[in-house]
Amino acid sequence: MGSTLLLPVLLATSFWSRGDAQAVPVQTPVLQGKVTGSSASMYCRLSNEHVVHWYQHLPGKPPKRILYMWRQTATFDDNSDRRRFQAQKHSTEPLYYLTIDNLTPRDSGTYYCTYCIIRPWDADVKVFGSGTKLIVSNKGSSPPENSEILQKTHENQITYVCLIEKFYPEVIRVTWTDEENKEITDNVVKGDTWKPAEGDEYSVGSWLTVPAENKHKNYYCKYEHESQQHSLMTRDSKKNALQDEDCSTHPGNGTVFNRDHLFHRTAYLVYIALLLKSSMYYVIVLLFMYRMWAPTKQQGKKA
């Protein structure tokens, strides 16, 4: 089985084995993009004390275990990793830390913490966390240049689009909450991060659809980026009514929000429609001329 399929299978097995979401390790959701030579630290929280394993998953390579830890003692699979990797446990809580020193771009990847469920009647199962993404480059982080909520009312529904533009690196967490600060997961769609052909900044869009009778309720779009955390209210979106032509699908990057792309696409479609229309007129004129010319030609042959 390829490395790209291994971790999803392990994660699925982890959920199936317990059916308990509380048992899944909670990891640092967003890690700062780091520059070469700096350090990065991430955490992993469990519900109880366990032997914790840390895995490194680099692009194009299978997951590799770095170490496992019981209480305050860490055991490395490769002793050479001791020079750059440090593992610690909180003194009183089941909270575990992994620190990487002297970072290089080769350290860019996703880091997972896991623990084993011992099952005497069957094979042991490893429960993986959601992973922490690390990006190492010589480009510093930059907060979003623009963030706003736009809305569109259609029949009996309201769609809010939370647009976050031009940030770096691409790791970002976007969530929707209600007036009671409870996270909303139903009827929420998060697009993939994307960037234009030129430039290093990324953008992302997230959609929330609610019944039209909830138009007086307020919702919040919150994003967490290494450079900034911010919250936007839907109440402010009334001045930003979303037109039908503002939503598009960006080829190859999933659903995104891109006004310029859609503007040019709409202009292109109008041009094609006019071209087809003129082509139809051209064909009609040709047919008309042919019908006039055909009898004359036949009379010439008879003569």
Side-chain angles (χ1 to χ4, degrees), residues 282-299:
Y282 181 73
V283 171
I284 291 172
V285 171
L286 286 178
L287 288 174
F288 180 76
M289 293 179 62
Y290 176 78
R291 295 181 106 183
M292 292 183 62
W293 173 74
T296 304
K297 185 177 180 180
Q298 290 179 357
Q299 290 178 3

Side-chain angles (χ1 to χ4, degrees), residues 147-149 160-164 173-177 205-206 208 219-223 230-234:
S147 59
E148 58 183 329
I149 296 179
Y160 297 105
V161 180
C162 182
L163 175 63
I164 306 164
R173 183 171 183 257
V174 183
T175 57
W176 288 90
T177 58
S206 182
L208 170 65
Y219 300 94
Y220 299 84
C221 172
K222 298 182 179 181
Y223 68 81
H230 191 55
S231 177
L232 300 94
M233 293 190 301
T234 55

Side-chain angles (χ1 to χ4, degrees), residues 109-301:
T110 306
Y111 293 78
Y112 296 89
C113 75
T114 178
Y115 69 94
C116 286
I117 297 178
I118 307 299
R119 301 191 301 178
W121 62 90
D122 202 349
D124 298 344
V125 175
K126 284 186 177 178
V127 182
F128 278 79
S130 57
T132 298
K133 189 171 184 179
L134 172 64
I135 298 173
V136 183
S137 71
N138 290 320
K139 177 180 172 61
S141 63
S142 56
E145 288 187 10
N146 177 60
S147 59
E148 58 183 329
I149 296 179
L150 302 104
Q151 73 175 58
K152 173 65 180 177
T153 302
H154 180 68
E155 296 180 351
N156 60 344
Q157 292 182 328
I158 302 175
T159 298
Y160 297 105
V161 180
C162 182
L163 175 63
I164 306 164
E165 297 179 294
K166 296 184 178 180
F167 54 87
Y168 186 88
E170 72 267 28
V171 182
I172 193 169
R173 183 171 183 257
V174 183
T175 57
W176 288 90
T177 58
D178 59 18
E179 294 175 327
E180 298 178 355
N181 201 31
K182 294 181 179 179
E183 184 174 347
I184 303 171
T185 55
D186 294 335
N187 300 317
V188 171
V189 177
K190 180 179 179 297
D192 297 329
T193 54
W194 63 278
K195 67 175 181 178
E198 297 181 359
D200 295 328
E201 289 80 13
Y202 291 82
S203 299
V204 69
S206 182
W207 286 256
L208 170 65
T209 302
V210 299
E213 58 262 28
N214 292 357
K215 62 181 179 180
H216 298 298
K217 293 185 178 181
N218 203 22
Y219 300 94
Y220 299 84
C221 172
K222 298 182 179 181
Y223 68 81
E224 299 174 46
H225 187 257
E226 63 165 274
S227 59
Q228 187 181 75
Q229 295 185 11
H230 191 55
S231 177
L232 300 94
M233 293 190 301
T234 55
R235 188 175 299 159
D236 296 333
S237 69
K238 294 181 181 179
K239 60 185 177 182
N240 297 323
L242 179 63
Q243 302 299 320
D244 289 336
E245 64 269 16
D246 281 342
C247 292
S248 177
T249 299
H250 192 275
N253 286 318
T255 304
V256 299
F257 189 86
N258 188 338
R259 300 178 194 175
D260 292 338
H261 170 75
L262 193 32
F263 176 82
H264 293 300
R265 181 177 176 83
T266 303
Y268 174 77
L269 291 176
V270 171
Y271 170 76
I272 293 296
L274 292 175
L275 183 62
L276 290 174
K277 188 176 180 180
S278 62
S279 299
M280 291 177 62
Y281 286 144
Y282 181 73
V283 171
I284 291 172
V285 171
L286 286 178
L287 288 174
F288 180 76
M289 293 179 62
Y290 176 78
R291 295 181 106 183
M292 292 183 62
W293 173 74
T296 304
K297 185 177 180 180
Q298 290 179 357
Q299 290 178 3
K301 287 183 177 180

Side-chain angles (χ1 to χ4, degrees), residues 62-118:
K64 167 193 170 185
R65 189 176 70 172
I66 304 170
L67 60 89
Y68 65 91
M69 186 173 190
W70 169 241
R71 295 184 177 174
Q72 297 293 344
T73 302
T75 302
F76 289 80
D77 286 28
D78 185 345
N79 283 328
S80 64
D81 287 335
R82 291 178 179 272
R83 294 175 297 180
R84 297 199 307 121
F85 291 85
Q86 300 177 35
Q88 295 178 321
K89 179 190 174 298
H90 191 276
S91 58
T92 58
E93 301 177 22
L95 186 61
Y96 301 83
Y97 300 91
L98 178 69
T99 302
I100 311 172
D101 296 322
N102 299 320
L103 290 168
T104 70
R106 292 191 298 272
D107 295 315
S108 298
T110 306
Y111 293 78
Y112 296 89
C113 75
T114 178
Y115 69 94
C116 286
I117 297 178
I118 307 299

Side-chain angles (χ1 to χ4, degrees), residues 13-24:
T13 305
S14 301
F15 283 102
W16 171 82
S17 64
R18 286 292 295 269
D20 180 9
Q22 297 298 322
V24 176

